[in-house]
Amino acid sequence: MSTTTITNAAVEALPNTSSLSFHPKSPQTQPSASAVGLNGMLENIEMKDRTVTTKTAAPSTSSVSNTNAHRVRANIQFISLCYSLFLAGWNDGTTGPLLPRIQEVYHVGFAIVSLIFVFACVGSISGAFLNFPITDRLGFGKVMVLGSLFQIVAFCLEASALPFPGFVFGYAVNGVGSALQDAQANGFVASLKDNASAKMGMLHAAYGAGALASPLVATQFAQIDRWSFHYLVSLGIAVTNTIALLAIFGLKSQDECLAQIGQAPQEQVTSQHSKFRQIFSLKAVHFLAFFILVYVGIQVTIGGWIVTYIIDVRGGGPSSGYISAGFFGGLTMGRVGLLWVNQKVGERRVLYIYTALAIGLELIIWFVPSLIGDAVAVSLVGILLGPIYPIVMNESSKVLPHWLLTQSIGWIAAFGQAGSAVLPFITGALASKVGIKSLQPLLVSMMSLMIALWWLVPSSPRRVD
């Protein structure tokens, strides 16, 4: 039997299918059609994989450019908001060093001069309620500019050294403007997706920086005849603040401003109830608002009355105004320098530690009659109280619904500004009866109340009814 015959017999033994071809005289076996198809599919998959890998590894130049532009724009916006908070701190830090001079010029006692804080309280509460309707109607950018215009008017009234009723009315106007800007700035930063916690700390460090710088200037003006000209310096800062807000935010809404930095619009949830009713149905909002009211009250009371306390109780001289600067300097340092402690211990837990230590230092100021020791302790109290405000704002973003976050934080911040008037006024009323030595017992009791209020704040989100 020949070789050709054997080969043909073998072929006949194979299944007869049209998909296979066999050439007995060919020196190499050709691949089948199915094998060719499989190889082709694998080659296509490999080419697609290489294509996808190439696109991922080399993003387009325009994409990188847009990301850089968004980052630069976001930084500019944030710096502008910090400048607004710097002005708020500057305003709050002004009162303490000027308070003895205001009493001297207008011939008023502790109770009457405390009307400054009452009018500021009325302005802050008015601004808190005004913030609700005008935020939806005007939008973020316009409300910020409106608040800055209120402050310009206020500083004009105060710089004129009008009769006492007109002078304290300027504090009411300033309270409205400060409350509006404080509410919008806190709500905006809390809504950021990129490192909001650290930025909240830096935002309020800017407030502390303003409150630190202001007493240094106000102490000098308090010793000259034209003491009210200090408010011309404040007016200059307010005018530049308005210009910056107009140039950077351009009267746009918050969503439009966030879109400029590449952040998507906030979550919106429709409800049959108004936002006002939804916000006020949340117990967390009320606990947080009262906590901030007490905290801000303690902060401004120390900054506003510690100079009088040091002069009257510890026998300090005219330069005692610098102790107020030391307090606000500590406030600024704490908000930046203790960020790592907040992250290490946990923001909710560390707040109890800061408050307890601050109470201990206040007891030292109360019972240890040392001018230098009290000055150092006041600065340390500032360091410990510094991180508390941004911690509360960060915790608010965790326990409040996202679609209500901006206006909820706006209400908490604006309502809290009323504390800058309520507690200083109570201090003045008590001082007129029993003397300024009542300052330390009041501060210790208010700090203890802070611990109780913080314990009542829920640690997890609650459903909106």
Side-chain angles (χ1 to χ4, degrees):
M1 184 180 293
S2 67
T3 304
T4 304
T5 306
I6 295 173
T7 304
N8 290 336
V11 170
E12 290 175 359
L14 294 173
N16 186 17
T17 171
S18 59
S19 63
L20 298 175
S21 61
F22 186 81
H23 303 280
K25 295 182 179 180
S26 177
Q28 296 179 348
T29 305
Q30 299 296 325
S32 65
S34 59
V36 172
L38 180 60
N39 290 336
M41 291 173 63
L42 291 173
E43 289 176 0
N44 288 337
I45 291 173
E46 289 175 357
M47 290 181 65
K48 289 179 180 179
D49 286 344
R50 287 195 296 270
T51 303
V52 172
T53 303
T54 301
K55 290 182 179 179
T56 304
S60 65
T61 305
S62 61
S63 175
V64 174
S65 177
N66 287 339
T67 302
N68 291 335
H70 289 157
R71 187 179 297 112
V72 171
R73 184 75 182 183
N75 290 336
I76 293 173
Q77 290 181 353
F78 180 67
I79 291 171
S80 177
L81 295 178
C82 287
Y83 191 60
S84 296
L85 266 289
F86 176 90
L87 177 57
W90 176 279
N91 180 63
D92 287 347
T94 291
T95 307
L98 290 179
L99 206 58
R101 186 58 190 273
I102 292 171
Q103 288 181 275
E104 177 187 342
V105 171
Y106 289 107
H107 307 290
V108 294
F110 289 123
I112 300 300
V113 78
S114 294
L115 289 174
I116 287 176
F117 303 111
V118 174
F119 275 74
C121 177
V122 171
S124 296
I125 294 292
S126 300
F129 281 103
L130 183 63
N131 183 61
F132 279 104
I134 67 174
T135 295
D136 285 336
R137 183 172 299 177
L138 300 180
F140 167 79
K142 292 178 182 177
V143 175
M144 286 291 289
V145 171
L146 179 63
S148 68
L149 292 176
F150 270 101
Q151 288 187 302
I152 289 176
V153 173
F155 290 131
C156 287
L157 294 174
E158 292 163 356
S160 302
L162 298 173
F164 193 69
F167 180 76
V168 297
F169 177 71
Y171 276 82
V173 177
N174 206 327
V176 175
S178 181
L180 290 176
Q181 291 182 89
D182 194 45
Q184 296 295 322
N186 279 284
F188 188 93
V189 173
S191 300
L192 295 176
K193 304 298 184 185
D194 183 20
N195 209 9
S197 297
K199 286 183 177 179
M200 187 67 76
M202 289 186 285
L203 178 72
H204 290 282
Y207 170 94
L212 166 64
S214 178
L216 301 176
V217 180
T219 299
Q220 299 300 317
F221 277 97
Q223 301 175 39
I224 64 175
D225 292 336
R226 298 291 185 179
W227 61 273
S228 65
F229 280 16
H230 170 78
Y231 295 103
L232 292 179
V233 181
S234 305
L235 177 62
I237 298 174
V239 170
T240 56
N241 177 49
T242 303
I243 294 172
L245 292 172
L246 282 168
I248 294 169
F249 295 105
L251 306 179
K252 294 181 174 65
S253 68
Q254 179 167 308
D255 284 343
E256 290 174 323
C257 293
L258 291 174
Q260 290 180 330
I261 60 174
Q263 185 169 316
Q266 290 181 298
E267 175 188 7
Q268 299 293 331
V269 176
T270 57
S271 173
Q272 59 182 350
H273 301 306
S274 66
K275 282 187 176 181
F276 187 89
R277 182 173 175 180
Q278 292 180 67
I279 290 170
F280 278 86
S281 68
L282 294 168
K283 291 182 180 180
V285 168
H286 302 298
F287 290 135
L288 289 165
F290 277 102
F291 180 93
I292 289 296
L293 183 144
V294 175
Y295 168 81
V296 172
I298 291 171
Q299 173 184 292
V300 178
T301 298
I302 294 175
W305 284 107
I306 194 62
V307 177
T308 304
Y309 176 86
I310 293 296
I311 292 174
D312 291 359
V313 178
R314 298 290 183 245
S319 297
S320 297
Y322 295 119
I323 294 179
S324 178
F327 169 74
F328 286 113
L331 204 75
T332 305
M333 290 176 59
R335 286 176 175 173
V336 176
L338 294 179
L339 280 172
W340 68 275
V341 179
N342 304 342
Q343 297 173 355
K344 188 79 172 177
V345 180
E347 289 186 330
R348 187 173 183 85
R349 186 182 302 109
V350 80
L351 191 145
Y352 291 111
I353 298 173
Y354 291 151
T355 308
L357 292 174
I359 291 173
L361 288 168
E362 286 297 333
L363 291 173
I364 292 174
I365 298 170
W366 184 0
F367 292 111
V368 178
S370 170
L371 180 60
I372 296 176
D374 289 354
V376 173
V378 167
S379 297
L380 293 175
V381 169
I383 291 175
L384 292 169
L385 293 181
I388 291 179
Y389 196 106
I391 284 174
V392 173
M393 291 300 159
N394 291 332
E395 288 295 307
S396 299
S397 66
K398 298 174 184 176
V399 302
L400 299 176
H402 291 293
W403 65 92
L404 299 175
L405 182 61
T406 298
Q407 287 178 305
S408 295
I409 285 184
W411 165 254
I412 292 167
F415 184 79
Q417 282 299 309
S420 65
V422 174
L423 263 64
F425 174 74
I426 293 174
T427 303
L430 287 173
S432 67
K433 298 293 183 181
V434 299
I436 194 61
K437 62 184 180 181
S438 61
L439 175 63
Q440 299 309 319
L442 177 65
L443 290 174
V444 169
S445 62
M446 290 298 101
M447 288 180 182
S448 301
L449 178 59
M450 277 174 55
I451 293 177
L453 287 171
W454 189 242
W455 182 78
L456 293 173
V457 174
S459 58
S460 58
R462 293 291 187 269
R463 183 178 61 85
V464 180
D465 295 331

